[in-house]
Amino acid sequence: MYAVRNIRLCTKDCLCLYVCPTGATDTETGQIDRSKCISGCRLCVDACPSHAISLVPESYPPQQEKKQTVLAAMRKRSASKSAQEQAFALLEQTAPNEPARRLAKAMRCSCRLMAEDLLRESGYMLPQSENVQTLLKSELENIKDNDFPRDAAKRLLELLKQ
Amino acid sequence: MAKYVCPICGYVYDEAAGRPEDGIAPGTPWQALSEDWVCPLCGAPKSVFEGQSKPEVKSTPASGVMEPQEEPLRELSVGELAALCTNLAKGCEKQYRAEEAELFMQLAAYYEKRIPKGEARDFTQLLTLIDQELNNEYPAAKEAATANRDRGSLRALVWGEKVSRILTSLLGKFDKQGDALLNGTNIYVCEICGFVYVGNEPPEICPVCKVPNLKISMIAKEAV
């Protein structure tokens, strides 16, 4: 468990700088230097008056198993939300007036968010999960297209390995 | 005196209390509210409100009763793969994994470019489509999630259903009012659940997922 700082909450009280035994919290970007952070130390977490620092785990438990019938139902909804997203995207480009295009854009975003949420709950919540790794491997194996960002997929497999 | 509940955000209209801040005197019966009255919190139309005494929708039969034939899982569409990758990028951001987030965005961009051009539909057709989804598919999916005690899926389905209902309500208004719906006002989208709100200021918290409004963003007007 290493410390991370939420810049949005940080009120620059600097108590993390006073308590950190290694200087990991003192960086120009506001991010805590993970290479110096002592796993599980949490001195900065407890000292921070604005609750801007928390601990992020290094590894996660296996994800909850999903029943096939529920997955099938969820996939239908995500496919349909994704199709609605595309239809709104088309309207966003073709509607004759600004208000209609703005409405289409809002609904396009909304449908995307619903699709994302449905997929997330269909076994793809955690980037480090087995399902995500299996998907990346299968895409690497099956997509022959030269434009497929193979290096990105390979690097992700390296980085997400638990 | 009866009470009526907004199924989207949970706001209760109490006939006895009225809503004096909006000029509705205490004791005003539900029937006396005009048909275009909307939920003061989330903008849901009067027609979706439910009487509070109304019994809960019949709960699902116990699991096993309706064990449907195992459907093989359909492959994810290109559009779904794009959405999956943007969502995983968000998941990485939450873990402060900037490099991974960026890599997932590269994958998302790849899929995004390859989404086949779908069927063109106008606003009214989309209204019908989402309405059908609300009447048939959402209840069936919720039933499957309930029967399998899958709380996470049920949560996503309930939020999606509420947001979809808001979309149909706005599309219905757009059908009647046209561009006037958005003239001189703003439209907002909740970045967490997709809730859409038309008004001058966003609500304090999202009526669907209850996130504070720093996560509710305005869709900017096009520069003239």
Side-chain angles (χ1 to χ4, degrees), chain A residues 6-35:
Chain A
N6 185 339
I7 296 295
R8 224 163 167 172
L9 299 176
C10 173
T11 46
K12 316 289 184 245
D13 299 291
C14 296
L15 272 95
C16 58
L17 305 185
Y18 303 167
V19 298
C20 180
T22 65
T25 54
D26 200 353
T27 62
E28 197 237 336
T29 58
Q31 293 311 321
I32 294 169
D33 182 350
R34 194 175 159 184
S35 67

PDB file of all heavy atoms in Angstrom, chain A residues 6-35:
ATOM      1  N   ASN A   6      -4.549  13.325  -3.632  1.00  0.00           N
ATOM      2  CA  ASN A   6      -5.581  13.880  -4.507  1.00  0.00           C
ATOM      3  C   ASN A   6      -5.415  15.402  -4.552  1.00  0.00           C
ATOM      4  O   ASN A   6      -5.767  16.118  -3.626  1.00  0.00           O
ATOM      5  CB  ASN A   6      -6.962  13.501  -3.959  1.00  0.00           C
ATOM      6  CG  ASN A   6      -8.083  13.943  -4.880  1.00  0.00           C
ATOM      7  OD1 ASN A   6      -7.907  14.834  -5.699  1.00  0.00           O
ATOM      8  ND2 ASN A   6      -9.236  13.314  -4.744  1.00  0.00           N
ATOM      9  N   ILE A   7      -4.863  15.867  -5.679  1.00  0.00           N
ATOM     10  CA  ILE A   7      -4.520  17.283  -5.823  1.00  0.00           C
ATOM     11  C   ILE A   7      -5.734  18.186  -5.632  1.00  0.00           C
ATOM     12  O   ILE A   7      -5.642  19.306  -5.145  1.00  0.00           O
ATOM     13  CB  ILE A   7      -3.934  17.514  -7.246  1.00  0.00           C
ATOM     14  CG1 ILE A   7      -2.625  16.742  -7.403  1.00  0.00           C
ATOM     15  CG2 ILE A   7      -3.704  18.974  -7.536  1.00  0.00           C
ATOM     16  CD1 ILE A   7      -1.529  17.226  -6.508  1.00  0.00           C
ATOM     17  N   ARG A   8      -6.897  17.654  -6.007  1.00  0.00           N
ATOM     18  CA  ARG A   8      -8.121  18.433  -5.899  1.00  0.00           C
ATOM     19  C   ARG A   8      -8.481  18.765  -4.442  1.00  0.00           C
ATOM     20  O   ARG A   8      -9.147  19.746  -4.176  1.00  0.00           O
ATOM     21  CB  ARG A   8      -9.248  17.599  -6.498  1.00  0.00           C
ATOM     22  CG  ARG A   8     -10.136  18.385  -7.388  1.00  0.00           C
ATOM     23  CD  ARG A   8     -10.911  17.391  -8.209  1.00  0.00           C
ATOM     24  NE  ARG A   8     -12.004  18.081  -8.858  1.00  0.00           N
ATOM     25  CZ  ARG A   8     -12.773  17.521  -9.749  1.00  0.00           C
ATOM     26  NH1 ARG A   8     -12.575  16.276 -10.091  1.00  0.00           N
ATOM     27  NH2 ARG A   8     -13.751  18.187 -10.297  1.00  0.00           N
ATOM     28  N   LEU A   9      -8.075  17.880  -3.537  1.00  0.00           N
ATOM     29  CA  LEU A   9      -8.417  18.095  -2.121  1.00  0.00           C
ATOM     30  C   LEU A   9      -7.299  18.769  -1.349  1.00  0.00           C
ATOM     31  O   LEU A   9      -7.518  19.332  -0.283  1.00  0.00           O
ATOM     32  CB  LEU A   9      -8.733  16.745  -1.459  1.00  0.00           C
ATOM     33  CG  LEU A   9      -9.914  15.959  -2.025  1.00  0.00           C
ATOM     34  CD1 LEU A   9     -10.020  14.609  -1.326  1.00  0.00           C
ATOM     35  CD2 LEU A   9     -11.212  16.743  -1.849  1.00  0.00           C
ATOM     36  N   CYS A  10      -6.076  18.693  -1.874  1.00  0.00           N
ATOM     37  CA  CYS A  10      -4.897  19.164  -1.141  1.00  0.00           C
ATOM     38  C   CYS A  10      -4.970  20.675  -0.930  1.00  0.00           C
ATOM     39  O   CYS A  10      -5.143  21.437  -1.865  1.00  0.00           O
ATOM     40  CB  CYS A  10      -3.629  18.810  -1.930  1.00  0.00           C
ATOM     41  SG  CYS A  10      -2.140  19.522  -1.233  1.00  0.00           S
ATOM     42  N   THR A  11      -4.870  21.097   0.362  1.00  0.00           N
ATOM     43  CA  THR A  11      -4.918  22.528   0.665  1.00  0.00           C
ATOM     44  C   THR A  11      -3.538  23.073   1.040  1.00  0.00           C
ATOM     45  O   THR A  11      -3.419  24.114   1.671  1.00  0.00           O
ATOM     46  CB  THR A  11      -5.943  22.810   1.785  1.00  0.00           C
ATOM     47  OG1 THR A  11      -5.737  21.858   2.833  1.00  0.00           O
ATOM     48  CG2 THR A  11      -7.365  22.674   1.286  1.00  0.00           C
ATOM     49  N   LYS A  12      -2.505  22.332   0.678  1.00  0.00           N
ATOM     50  CA  LYS A  12      -1.110  22.766   0.844  1.00  0.00           C
ATOM     51  C   LYS A  12      -0.775  23.123   2.287  1.00  0.00           C
ATOM     52  O   LYS A  12      -0.153  24.138   2.568  1.00  0.00           O
ATOM     53  CB  LYS A  12      -0.798  23.971  -0.071  1.00  0.00           C
ATOM     54  CG  LYS A  12      -1.323  23.864  -1.496  1.00  0.00           C
ATOM     55  CD  LYS A  12      -0.566  22.843  -2.320  1.00  0.00           C
ATOM     56  CE  LYS A  12      -1.064  22.834  -3.765  1.00  0.00           C
ATOM     57  NZ  LYS A  12      -1.707  21.598  -4.148  1.00  0.00           N
ATOM     58  N   ASP A  13      -1.229  22.291   3.207  1.00  0.00           N
ATOM     59  CA  ASP A  13      -0.872  22.509   4.603  1.00  0.00           C
ATOM     60  C   ASP A  13       0.510  21.950   4.909  1.00  0.00           C
ATOM     61  O   ASP A  13       1.087  22.261   5.950  1.00  0.00           O
ATOM     62  CB  ASP A  13      -1.914  21.860   5.517  1.00  0.00           C
ATOM     63  CG  ASP A  13      -3.286  22.467   5.291  1.00  0.00           C
ATOM     64  OD1 ASP A  13      -3.459  23.638   5.645  1.00  0.00           O
ATOM     65  OD2 ASP A  13      -4.155  21.790   4.742  1.00  0.00           O
ATOM     66  N   CYS A  14       0.991  21.099   4.028  1.00  0.00           N
ATOM     67  CA  CYS A  14       2.370  20.616   4.079  1.00  0.00           C
ATOM     68  C   CYS A  14       2.719  19.721   5.263  1.00  0.00           C
ATOM     69  O   CYS A  14       3.899  19.497   5.522  1.00  0.00           O
ATOM     70  CB  CYS A  14       3.361  21.785   4.017  1.00  0.00           C
ATOM     71  SG  CYS A  14       3.240  22.667   2.467  1.00  0.00           S
ATOM     72  N   LEU A  15       1.705  19.230   5.986  1.00  0.00           N
ATOM     73  CA  LEU A  15       2.071  18.345   7.092  1.00  0.00           C
ATOM     74  C   LEU A  15       2.696  17.047   6.594  1.00  0.00           C
ATOM     75  O   LEU A  15       3.515  16.447   7.289  1.00  0.00           O
ATOM     76  CB  LEU A  15       0.862  18.068   7.988  1.00  0.00           C
ATOM     77  CG  LEU A  15       0.777  19.147   9.068  1.00  0.00           C
ATOM     78  CD1 LEU A  15      -0.149  20.258   8.659  1.00  0.00           C
ATOM     79  CD2 LEU A  15       0.404  18.567  10.401  1.00  0.00           C
ATOM     80  N   CYS A  16       2.332  16.660   5.374  1.00  0.00           N
ATOM     81  CA  CYS A  16       2.929  15.444   4.815  1.00  0.00           C
ATOM     82  C   CYS A  16       4.442  15.602   4.663  1.00  0.00           C
ATOM     83  O   CYS A  16       5.198  14.649   4.785  1.00  0.00           O
ATOM     84  CB  CYS A  16       2.264  15.075   3.492  1.00  0.00           C
ATOM     85  SG  CYS A  16       2.366  16.371   2.250  1.00  0.00           S
ATOM     86  N   LEU A  17       4.846  16.849   4.396  1.00  0.00           N
ATOM     87  CA  LEU A  17       6.289  17.080   4.241  1.00  0.00           C
ATOM     88  C   LEU A  17       7.001  16.948   5.589  1.00  0.00           C
ATOM     89  O   LEU A  17       8.118  16.465   5.666  1.00  0.00           O
ATOM     90  CB  LEU A  17       6.556  18.480   3.666  1.00  0.00           C
ATOM     91  CG  LEU A  17       5.859  18.828   2.361  1.00  0.00           C
ATOM     92  CD1 LEU A  17       6.327  20.192   1.865  1.00  0.00           C
ATOM     93  CD2 LEU A  17       6.128  17.779   1.297  1.00  0.00           C
ATOM     94  N   TYR A  18       6.313  17.397   6.660  1.00  0.00           N
ATOM     95  CA  TYR A  18       6.937  17.321   7.983  1.00  0.00           C
ATOM     96  C   TYR A  18       7.106  15.873   8.446  1.00  0.00           C
ATOM     97  O   TYR A  18       8.093  15.534   9.096  1.00  0.00           O
ATOM     98  CB  TYR A  18       6.090  18.050   9.041  1.00  0.00           C
ATOM     99  CG  TYR A  18       5.792  19.519   8.775  1.00  0.00           C
ATOM    100  CD1 TYR A  18       4.827  20.190   9.516  1.00  0.00           C
ATOM    101  CD2 TYR A  18       6.485  20.225   7.800  1.00  0.00           C
ATOM    102  CE1 TYR A  18       4.546  21.529   9.279  1.00  0.00           C
ATOM    103  CE2 TYR A  18       6.203  21.564   7.558  1.00  0.00           C
ATOM    104  CZ  TYR A  18       5.229  22.204   8.294  1.00  0.00           C
ATOM    105  OH  TYR A  18       4.947  23.519   8.068  1.00  0.00           O
ATOM    106  N   VAL A  19       6.123  15.036   8.139  1.00  0.00           N
ATOM    107  CA  VAL A  19       6.146  13.697   8.747  1.00  0.00           C
ATOM    108  C   VAL A  19       6.816  12.625   7.890  1.00  0.00           C
ATOM    109  O   VAL A  19       7.205  11.573   8.407  1.00  0.00           O
ATOM    110  CB  VAL A  19       4.727  13.197   9.123  1.00  0.00           C
ATOM    111  CG1 VAL A  19       4.086  14.117  10.150  1.00  0.00           C
ATOM    112  CG2 VAL A  19       3.846  13.066   7.889  1.00  0.00           C
ATOM    113  N   CYS A  20       6.954  12.863   6.600  1.00  0.00           N
ATOM    114  CA  CYS A  20       7.471  11.800   5.732  1.00  0.00           C
ATOM    115  C   CYS A  20       8.937  11.498   6.053  1.00  0.00           C
ATOM    116  O   CYS A  20       9.783  12.385   5.977  1.00  0.00           O
ATOM    117  CB  CYS A  20       7.331  12.190   4.270  1.00  0.00           C
ATOM    118  SG  CYS A  20       7.963  10.912   3.173  1.00  0.00           S
ATOM    119  N   PRO A  21       9.238  10.246   6.421  1.00  0.00           N
ATOM    120  CA  PRO A  21      10.622   9.925   6.815  1.00  0.00           C
ATOM    121  C   PRO A  21      11.583   9.869   5.636  1.00  0.00           C
ATOM    122  O   PRO A  21      12.797   9.866   5.844  1.00  0.00           O
ATOM    123  CB  PRO A  21      10.504   8.536   7.458  1.00  0.00           C
ATOM    124  CG  PRO A  21       9.097   8.102   7.305  1.00  0.00           C
ATOM    125  CD  PRO A  21       8.342   9.107   6.516  1.00  0.00           C
ATOM    126  N   THR A  22      11.061   9.818   4.391  1.00  0.00           N
ATOM    127  CA  THR A  22      11.972   9.638   3.251  1.00  0.00           C
ATOM    128  C   THR A  22      11.941  10.801   2.264  1.00  0.00           C
ATOM    129  O   THR A  22      12.635  10.780   1.252  1.00  0.00           O
ATOM    130  CB  THR A  22      11.609   8.357   2.466  1.00  0.00           C
ATOM    131  OG1 THR A  22      10.314   8.546   1.896  1.00  0.00           O
ATOM    132  CG2 THR A  22      11.614   7.127   3.359  1.00  0.00           C
ATOM    133  N   GLY A  23      11.082  11.775   2.498  1.00  0.00           N
ATOM    134  CA  GLY A  23      10.970  12.874   1.541  1.00  0.00           C
ATOM    135  C   GLY A  23      10.147  12.522   0.308  1.00  0.00           C
ATOM    136  O   GLY A  23      10.134  13.258  -0.682  1.00  0.00           O
ATOM    137  N   ALA A  24       9.416  11.408   0.357  1.00  0.00           N
ATOM    138  CA  ALA A  24       8.643  10.975  -0.813  1.00  0.00           C
ATOM    139  C   ALA A  24       7.522  11.949  -1.157  1.00  0.00           C
ATOM    140  O   ALA A  24       7.113  12.063  -2.313  1.00  0.00           O
ATOM    141  CB  ALA A  24       8.056   9.582  -0.557  1.00  0.00           C
ATOM    142  N   THR A  25       7.018  12.667  -0.141  1.00  0.00           N
ATOM    143  CA  THR A  25       5.875  13.558  -0.401  1.00  0.00           C
ATOM    144  C   THR A  25       6.302  14.891  -1.002  1.00  0.00           C
ATOM    145  O   THR A  25       5.462  15.658  -1.449  1.00  0.00           O
ATOM    146  CB  THR A  25       5.113  13.856   0.912  1.00  0.00           C
ATOM    147  OG1 THR A  25       6.032  14.363   1.874  1.00  0.00           O
ATOM    148  CG2 THR A  25       4.457  12.600   1.467  1.00  0.00           C
ATOM    149  N   ASP A  26       7.603  15.192  -0.968  1.00  0.00           N
ATOM    150  CA  ASP A  26       8.075  16.498  -1.430  1.00  0.00           C
ATOM    151  C   ASP A  26       8.464  16.436  -2.896  1.00  0.00           C
ATOM    152  O   ASP A  26       9.599  16.133  -3.242  1.00  0.00           O
ATOM    153  CB  ASP A  26       9.274  16.919  -0.562  1.00  0.00           C
ATOM    154  CG  ASP A  26       9.517  18.417  -0.634  1.00  0.00           C
ATOM    155  OD1 ASP A  26       8.847  19.086  -1.460  1.00  0.00           O
ATOM    156  OD2 ASP A  26      10.362  18.916   0.124  1.00  0.00           O
ATOM    157  N   THR A  27       7.484  16.700  -3.768  1.00  0.00           N
ATOM    158  CA  THR A  27       7.779  16.679  -5.202  1.00  0.00           C
ATOM    159  C   THR A  27       7.165  17.917  -5.838  1.00  0.00           C
ATOM    160  O   THR A  27       6.215  18.490  -5.302  1.00  0.00           O
ATOM    161  CB  THR A  27       7.164  15.442  -5.902  1.00  0.00           C
ATOM    162  OG1 THR A  27       5.741  15.514  -5.757  1.00  0.00           O
ATOM    163  CG2 THR A  27       7.679  14.146  -5.315  1.00  0.00           C
ATOM    164  N   GLU A  28       7.668  18.250  -6.982  1.00  0.00           N
ATOM    165  CA  GLU A  28       7.193  19.463  -7.643  1.00  0.00           C
ATOM    166  C   GLU A  28       5.811  19.254  -8.269  1.00  0.00           C
ATOM    167  O   GLU A  28       4.993  20.160  -8.340  1.00  0.00           O
ATOM    168  CB  GLU A  28       8.218  19.877  -8.704  1.00  0.00           C
ATOM    169  CG  GLU A  28       8.066  21.294  -9.174  1.00  0.00           C
ATOM    170  CD  GLU A  28       7.879  21.351 -10.676  1.00  0.00           C
ATOM    171  OE1 GLU A  28       8.307  20.409 -11.371  1.00  0.00           O
ATOM    172  OE2 GLU A  28       7.286  22.335 -11.125  1.00  0.00           O
ATOM    173  N   THR A  29       5.536  18.015  -8.706  1.00  0.00           N
ATOM    174  CA  THR A  29       4.267  17.748  -9.388  1.00  0.00           C
ATOM    175  C   THR A  29       3.095  17.555  -8.427  1.00  0.00           C
ATOM    176  O   THR A  29       1.955  17.495  -8.860  1.00  0.00           O
ATOM    177  CB  THR A  29       4.359  16.449 -10.210  1.00  0.00           C
ATOM    178  OG1 THR A  29       4.711  15.396  -9.292  1.00  0.00           O
ATOM    179  CG2 THR A  29       5.397  16.538 -11.292  1.00  0.00           C
ATOM    180  N   GLY A  30       3.396  17.404  -7.144  1.00  0.00           N
ATOM    181  CA  GLY A  30       2.310  17.135  -6.206  1.00  0.00           C
ATOM    182  C   GLY A  30       2.034  15.656  -6.053  1.00  0.00           C
ATOM    183  O   GLY A  30       1.284  15.244  -5.182  1.00  0.00           O
ATOM    184  N   GLN A  31       2.626  14.829  -6.907  1.00  0.00           N
ATOM    185  CA  GLN A  31       2.465  13.387  -6.764  1.00  0.00           C
ATOM    186  C   GLN A  31       3.501  12.860  -5.775  1.00  0.00           C
ATOM    187  O   GLN A  31       4.598  13.384  -5.705  1.00  0.00           O
ATOM    188  CB  GLN A  31       2.633  12.684  -8.126  1.00  0.00           C
ATOM    189  CG  GLN A  31       1.525  13.012  -9.120  1.00  0.00           C
ATOM    190  CD  GLN A  31       0.138  12.855  -8.519  1.00  0.00           C
ATOM    191  OE1 GLN A  31      -0.119  11.933  -7.757  1.00  0.00           O
ATOM    192  NE2 GLN A  31      -0.748  13.785  -8.842  1.00  0.00           N
ATOM    193  N   ILE A  32       3.129  11.843  -5.032  1.00  0.00           N
ATOM    194  CA  ILE A  32       4.075  11.279  -4.068  1.00  0.00           C
ATOM    195  C   ILE A  32       5.009  10.309  -4.798  1.00  0.00           C
ATOM    196  O   ILE A  32       4.552   9.517  -5.630  1.00  0.00           O
ATOM    197  CB  ILE A  32       3.300  10.586  -2.922  1.00  0.00           C
ATOM    198  CG1 ILE A  32       2.529  11.663  -2.136  1.00  0.00           C
ATOM    199  CG2 ILE A  32       4.248   9.812  -2.008  1.00  0.00           C
ATOM    200  CD1 ILE A  32       1.523  11.144  -1.157  1.00  0.00           C
ATOM    201  N   ASP A  33       6.278  10.415  -4.522  1.00  0.00           N
ATOM    202  CA  ASP A  33       7.276   9.590  -5.208  1.00  0.00           C
ATOM    203  C   ASP A  33       7.179   8.147  -4.713  1.00  0.00           C
ATOM    204  O   ASP A  33       7.576   7.830  -3.594  1.00  0.00           O
ATOM    205  CB  ASP A  33       8.674  10.179  -4.926  1.00  0.00           C
ATOM    206  CG  ASP A  33       9.764   9.400  -5.647  1.00  0.00           C
ATOM    207  OD1 ASP A  33       9.465   8.313  -6.206  1.00  0.00           O
ATOM    208  OD2 ASP A  33      10.910   9.885  -5.648  1.00  0.00           O
ATOM    209  N   ARG A  34       6.658   7.299  -5.601  1.00  0.00           N
ATOM    210  CA  ARG A  34       6.381   5.930  -5.181  1.00  0.00           C
ATOM    211  C   ARG A  34       7.658   5.157  -4.855  1.00  0.00           C
ATOM    212  O   ARG A  34       7.660   4.269  -4.008  1.00  0.00           O
ATOM    213  CB  ARG A  34       5.609   5.233  -6.305  1.00  0.00           C
ATOM    214  CG  ARG A  34       4.989   3.943  -5.847  1.00  0.00           C
ATOM    215  CD  ARG A  34       4.143   3.340  -6.926  1.00  0.00           C
ATOM    216  NE  ARG A  34       3.987   1.918  -6.666  1.00  0.00           N
ATOM    217  CZ  ARG A  34       3.365   1.095  -7.467  1.00  0.00           C
ATOM    218  NH1 ARG A  34       2.838   1.547  -8.588  1.00  0.00           N
ATOM    219  NH2 ARG A  34       3.262  -0.163  -7.167  1.00  0.00           N
ATOM    220  N   SER A  35       8.744   5.542  -5.526  1.00  0.00           N
ATOM    221  CA  SER A  35       9.987   4.788  -5.302  1.00  0.00           C
ATOM    222  C   SER A  35      10.551   5.050  -3.901  1.00  0.00           C
ATOM    223  O   SER A  35      11.333   4.272  -3.385  1.00  0.00           O
ATOM    224  CB  SER A  35      11.016   5.153  -6.369  1.00  0.00           C
ATOM    225  OG  SER A  35      11.419   6.491  -6.204  1.00  0.00           O
TER     226      SER A  35
END
